[in-house]
Amino acid sequence: MERLFVCDLRVGATITQHFLVKGKHQRQKKTGEPFLAFLLADRTGEITGNLWEGLEEAERTIQPGDFVRVRAFVTSYQGSPQLNIQGMQRLKPEEVETEEFLASTCKDVEEMMGYLRRTAGSLKDPNLRALLKNFLEDEAFVTAFKRSPAAKGLHHVFLGGLLEHTSSVVRICEGILTQYEGIHRDLLLAGAILHDVGKIEELGFEKGVLDYTDRGRLLGHIVIGSEMVRERIRSLANFPPRLELELLHILISHHGEHAWGSPKRPKTIEALLVHYVEDLDAKVAAFQDFMRHSPDPFRLHWTSYHKVFERYLYLRDAEEQSLEGSEKDAPR
Amino acid sequence: MERLFVCDLRVGATITQHFLVKGKHQRQKKTGEPFLAFLLADRTGEITGNLWEGLEEAERTIQPGDFVRVRAFVTSYQGSPQLNIQGMQRLKPEEVETEEFLASTCKDVEEMMGYLRRTAGSLKDPNLRALLKNFLEDEAFVTAFKRSPAAKGLHHVFLGGLLEHTSSVVRICEGILTQYEGIHRDLLLAGAILHDVGKIEELGFEKGVLDYTDRGRLLGHIVIGSEMVRERIRSLANFPPRLELELLHILISHHGEHAWGSPKRPKTIEALLVHYVEDLDAKVAAFQDFMRHSPDPFRLHWTSYHKVFERYLYLRDAEEQSLEGSEKDAPR
Amino acid sequence: MERLFVCDLRVGATITQHFLVKGKHQRQKKTGEPFLAFLLADRTGEITGNLWEGLEEAERTIQPGDFVRVRAFVTSYQGSPQLNIQGMQRLKPEEVETEEFLASTCKDVEEMMGYLRRTAGSLKDPNLRALLKNFLEDEAFVTAFKRSPAAKGLHHVFLGGLLEHTSSVVRICEGILTQYEGIHRDLLLAGAILHDVGKIEELGFEKGVLDYTDRGRLLGHIVIGSEMVRERIRSLANFPPRLELELLHILISHHGEHAWGSPKRPKTIEALLVHYVEDLDAKVAAFQDFMRHSPDPFRLHWTSYHKVFERYLYLRDAEEQSLEGSEKDAPR
Amino acid sequence: MERLFVCDLRVGATITQHFLVKGKHQRQKKTGEPFLAFLLADRTGEITGNLWEGLEEAERTIQPGDFVRVRAFVTSYQGSPQLNIQGMQRLKPEEVETEEFLASTCKDVEEMMGYLRRTAGSLKDPNLRALLKNFLEDEAFVTAFKRSPAAKGLHHVFLGGLLEHTSSVVRICEGILTQYEGIHRDLLLAGAILHDVGKIEELGFEKGVLDYTDRGRLLGHIVIGSEMVRERIRSLANFPPRLELELLHILISHHGEHAWGSPKRPKTIEALLVHYVEDLDAKVAAFQDFMRHSPDPFRLHWTSYHKVFERYLYLRDAEEQSLEGSEKDAPR
Amino acid sequence: MERLFVCDLRVGATITQHFLVKGKHQRQKKTGEPFLAFLLADRTGEITGNLWEGLEEAERTIQPGDFVRVRAFVTSYQGSPQLNIQGMQRLKPEEVETEEFLASTCKDVEEMMGYLRRTAGSLKDPNLRALLKNFLEDEAFVTAFKRSPAAKGLHHVFLGGLLEHTSSVVRICEGILTQYEGIHRDLLLAGAILHDVGKIEELGFEKGVLDYTDRGRLLGHIVIGSEMVRERIRSLANFPPRLELELLHILISHHGEHAWGSPKRPKTIEALLVHYVEDLDAKVAAFQDFMRHSPDPFRLHWTSYHKVFERYLYLRDAEEQSLEGSEKDAPR
Amino acid sequence: MERLFVCDLRVGATITQHFLVKGKHQRQKKTGEPFLAFLLADRTGEITGNLWEGLEEAERTIQPGDFVRVRAFVTSYQGSPQLNIQGMQRLKPEEVETEEFLASTCKDVEEMMGYLRRTAGSLKDPNLRALLKNFLEDEAFVTAFKRSPAAKGLHHVFLGGLLEHTSSVVRICEGILTQYEGIHRDLLLAGAILHDVGKIEELGFEKGVLDYTDRGRLLGHIVIGSEMVRERIRSLANFPPRLELELLHILISHHGEHAWGSPKRPKTIEALLVHYVEDLDAKVAAFQDFMRHSPDPFRLHWTSYHKVFERYLYLRDAEEQSLEGSEKDAPR
């Protein structure tokens, strides 16, 4: 039976599928009869489900944060679907498919990986090319890289977010490259590709929740990433020390300022560019995401208040929007 | 007689040409005979010139900051060329050609103007197209715009600097535009073209010195520029009010933060992009300029200390540089 | 039937009057009978009202934020008055009298306008006098100016707040003027009168709620105000350019620092004075308002915590207060 | 013989009077003959003086920072007056009259003291009146208070500066007082009079140079001043504790923010007002002083760059100035 | 009957003892019968108690914040103990023993006082020794000092906290003293002992709640403490003025920076050391307290988010902890 | 011939020894005869030396920054010793003994190293003990560690400064350790010993001048040091991952705040302690150094202005100082 996501559930259906338990409360019917009300979720939304039998065992074995297999009948309560649970069991870790519970990039993962590999292959410097190959043809790395989000809270907070962010940064760097003289193309693109690799160890999932890992909290992706790069450089023969230094400098300085967590600030054009472009890409993604998901219900043309950016964002009318993107679609 | 710039003067030549007076000092020969020592300059450098006759009149009529016509013989003093002045007179304002005294963009001014006009012509929105045409086909505006520097001290401090900065910002915006969905192309490009127009009234030259104008110091280019745009919009029929609002918002917010002088911070993606790209372009230009002109004479691989950026910048070896830009030249 | 404000409602009365709907909830009596509970408000307070009939239509046609005409009987519930609603209909926009729903200045609006007009008339500089007359005798402007609050959240948040703030700033400037030599009286007073005029377009009311307008959020009252002044100056003949520059500078710089939203900081004594005095007046008003409305119920002598000022304010004893203001009343 | 100040010295005069030694250098005539060149100063300016005889003793006994009696003939050197010193001796401390070497207020000291005393006498609160009397009728205090400058570097840096600043703050507070309801007049005025009394111990003169005292550097005038007030309060019977607390709070908080050196920020209206007014008065004085003394020699309409305020100040044309102050002089 | 603290109450017991009333709510049984539900507390925790009779009087006479004597039977409700109140009366102030309601230091108060007295007695400077004796043998001071907490919210928030903090600071200073040459031992230790004495008047208890006193809010412990020291110095004969100055400087500057509330920053090594050590001790105590009380229930190895420090703290495993402190216990 | 340092040179001596060339200027005697004036230095001071023969070769072969062997006669000029140079040649790199030109710690290097080794040996955790042994018994590391300064400009700017700073930090940590419960002794001491190891690669000497290395400028000692620790950990078998994480966290976070260059802030007590103690030790050393070397020549009791700390430091009288350190020497 194919999975029906929460957003697709229709009253009357009978389902058997997996959910993340986000809440559990003991309640009483008006008759005084007790039941357990669960808040269940997958990556498309949340739904309430009530369990009427086997309460004691469920109370004991199932906790918020667990993944469960639920057998249920979809009913309606105050106009919304609700589950009438016939049975539920905790899943073993190997039964959980994280993708069912976490949002993913809407872009084509293989297309983006292909783009990065082609870009890496286009480098003229054999050392940087070898280094990137070492990363991008290492299956374990690629698997992690393709799944990693790019951040916990502000932008690209979904599976594949890191890949989406990275390939966007590389594309923009490629475009800017041709505007200036004297840019070291290979160094810039290698730095753009690798700038955030530390995030695959900084962020992780546990019980369906995205969070910083212990390494992430104690060391951070800047230090982790520079270690990852150094280790692979050591495994290559004769990587030029100055090239290593400049490449590591891009990673170390890509937050731009001490106050933003970089132990060093950019001292080369390439480091400066990677900092600006990755900051810009993160901000644009955060703006777009917030504009999509948080319009102010009471105020036309505006989102609700964005606490990190400390401002409301302006939303253009649909008709005005019609000119957007026309460039891309228009025949020339 | 064609102008010989200071950097081209050779011992033995006789010249008659224009200089900016940067200093004037009364001196005495060992014999006790008085003379006037002038520090003279054009846009390529400075040279000392001594005047032995007509001291009284020169003392009275010529002051530092004046432009003068000098008739002189080029001699040598301690190995450097020096002028033995036969005669000098103050120029009338209309005789001064500022270009002789101020550095200029090395790029092709007409090519850059053409690019901006073509971009403006490519807009689909008739109102924005008309507004840009109103600016870019107004000869007085264009003359000023082509000569204006983009700043007083940090980046693009030369004739044509504003044009160079603007066209670079527009080109990068065009490149980035295709990376994201939902960008209002016409608004972004119009905002990029107009973001700094206020600078033509914020900065000026007096006595060969680039400085802020009174309006520049009291109002600043953000307020001046938004007034310029509003005035031209009023001269057009039926410019849509929301479009005007969004366009002005790009100008108003292009410094990005209150602390950097913007009375409002970006609240649309287009304003966010113009802010980031123009900041990036200014920083890259400032880095490149400093790398070119301020290598640390005592320390290989480094510039001297940059007081605004509060750091030393790293200079790559020439051999390493060889890979730079290769992308552009390489046959594909 | 004269309006009875919420604070005047007495149990037993029957009323027919206007309210702002602040909330609407479907409820059930113990008997299971459904009803609609409304939270209704005017500018003096809030009251609950229950509707028992015509639920379906009310549910459909009346939303929070609407203004309604209510026919009701005042009952008592748990010691507080409550409305037993007999009927309610949504008002047409033209039926709403905002003054019923928004707090107003307690001061005499005409007296304050008169003071500003007299002050404007006392100026010796004919240009500034003409400019102020252009504003203060423009009925549309005056109407808006008299109703505008001076801010959204911190001080003078009521109809007439802008006028109250402005006339207070002008009075204090007049007093300070005589303490220093070399102040340009006319410029200072014109700047004081006009410093916040942009607020009449920055702030607005919609559905009974005071909020920033779109122009307010995207441009801000500093830019809007300087445009308003410039437009009127253009309509006058031969306004001296330097005078315009200095006047606009006062508006532009009146927040004092970049970080507080001024694109330029004060560079004349007059601009410095307007900045200090308007900041002081806003802070005094905010302190007084908070002292009046937010005493700490658990702590004698103190207000509750003020989140913007990040402090508790001290409240003097009544006896100590007795000396306050005695100066004003005392015969001399 | 009446003192001739440096600014009044004319070539040809013979003088015997006191100077501060600011520099001493051994020099040689072209003939090889040694002499001592002194830089001498009084409060109106500096002059060079050469000593040709008694070099050895002068070398040994007179050092920069000393005050000396000089007998000399005024000659001319390169167009400026110079002293040909016939004799000089170090003054004993009791012979030095500091007023000759330090700038003083141009205002009438007794008039200002009288104003403060009258204001103090007008208070209705007997405790505050007694406290102020205790200060203002204590001869030692008054002597020190009348001579003290108000600051070391930015504003009112002259004898009597503290009195000038204090009486200006009190006058402005009196004016503002009538604009607001609920101000405790006596507390406000007492706080205004006493807010900076600690400065008489914070600042001092040594060897003709104004500087912080040791107490000033280690404790500061806020702590010193609050101690001074507390000591005098203790000497009065039955001063109400809450009144003492509020008065001390005004002193403690008058810098307004922690970062500006106040251990507490204003929590009463009176403390808020004293903070704003004294800050405003200091800034106005600093602006006016800089405008008077530091016009940019190369730029009409502007002062040179003010390093503390980080800006250039605008200077109005004389004709524009003509309207200034007209208010004060005009018959009413 | 010995007091049973909330954490020790067992179902079935009958008690008669004191509580702090933290809440009071009128409720109804299902039968409609009214009762009063109280939230009662002592220093070990909170418990709910229901009163069924004498509602009217209790409603009138007992308010949150009052201390009461309660006679009750301990029952169980949903698995937790609850009080069935038979009777309750408000306590007179003199009946309240604050220690029953406020947490206390776990360390030996007399041992710590003894340590401070011994340290004070070990000073060689007779003036500082006399000053400390004046404090430490003044019973009123000692009583207050022993009870005072060291802060309201972040660290040492319990009875005896100030003593615990002070003796820890003194001990660490003693240890550091021997690491550097040229430290004035007596001054450092006297400064360490006295640095926070102002807190005994800055913080107080009212109605069982720890809070800043009025003096604390308006003057702060830095100013209060320096007054306390000055008063006692005045009562001693011939205390050297420079020593007083240096000692007061330690108190005045012990917050280290203006922004942290010190009107002066450390200018001697001794002041620098007291600042660092007292800051370190406060932070360590705050870290340890948060680690003990706020582990993240959902995340092994971490505390929940600390809002003041803006971070999560890491919690070591118990086994890893086993090495901790081993040094202290180990035989050497 | 034993080296005579500049501070020991006496008029009349003939010397042959090494100097660092800090300046070179061509001058003329009154007779017009040219000579070369050199500014020569060793670690104790500077001296002028004039060369009268072989000018051309010296001009060509000797530059500022070179080390030279000088044969000279010590003469006197204006009361100070000066060198009359008979001959000078540039040294080969291997002839230069840096110690002659750079200041060194006054403490016993072997004693400090011994202390660190004993402390390392006292650790109970076998992994940390092995790691420290790996560092402290590696001759190359120890050689570099013993010579390294601890900073470029503010504190411990001399050979052995890093060792002096490190052993001071370890000693203080040992002392503090016993004041708190629950500190992981081994982790704290290992972190204290290793916190700054990256400085041996961050700082270097070239041409007798201490400066940051390229790695130091581009990566910084925090990143370099954590790499050094990781590499040695990898060379050990089975180092526990959590222990590595906590140790690296101490290095990464030891600057305490992002703005001070730490990519992560302390999240364990041990990291917090290392941060505070190493900051304190650096500040104390900087204070003491400045007090020793920069007394204000014109102001008793004070140093000149310290630009980094932005304050003057107070200097106690010698008699007052007499009590200092007495504790250490006194018999107990």
Side-chain angles (χ1 to χ4, degrees), chain D residues 202 212 214-223 226-228 230-231 234 242 244-246 248-249 252 258-265 267-268, chain E residues 202 212 214-223 226-228 230-231 234 242 244-246 248-249 252 258-265 267-268:
Chain D
E202 185 187 44
Y212 287 94
D214 290 1
R215 276 174 70 74
R217 283 188 176 172
L218 291 171
L219 303 183
H221 73 274
I222 280 189
V223 167
S226 80
E227 283 172 6
M228 288 167 63
R230 266 178 61 90
E231 274 182 41
R234 252 193 310 267
R242 285 204 170 269
E244 172 182 339
L245 199 51
E246 282 205 59
L248 288 174
H249 177 66
I252 292 295
H258 292 149
W260 302 334
S262 262
K264 288 286 165 184
R265 295 162 304 150
K267 294 176 175 174
T268 64
Chain E
E202 184 187 46
Y212 286 94
D214 290 1
R215 277 174 69 74
R217 282 189 176 171
L218 290 171
L219 303 183
H221 73 274
I222 279 188
V223 168
S226 80
E227 284 172 7
M228 288 167 63
R230 267 179 59 91
E231 275 182 42
R234 253 191 311 268
R242 285 204 170 271
E244 174 182 340
L245 200 51
E246 283 205 60
L248 288 174
H249 177 65
I252 291 295
H258 292 150
W260 302 334
S262 262
K264 289 286 167 185
R265 295 161 304 149
K267 294 175 175 176
T268 63

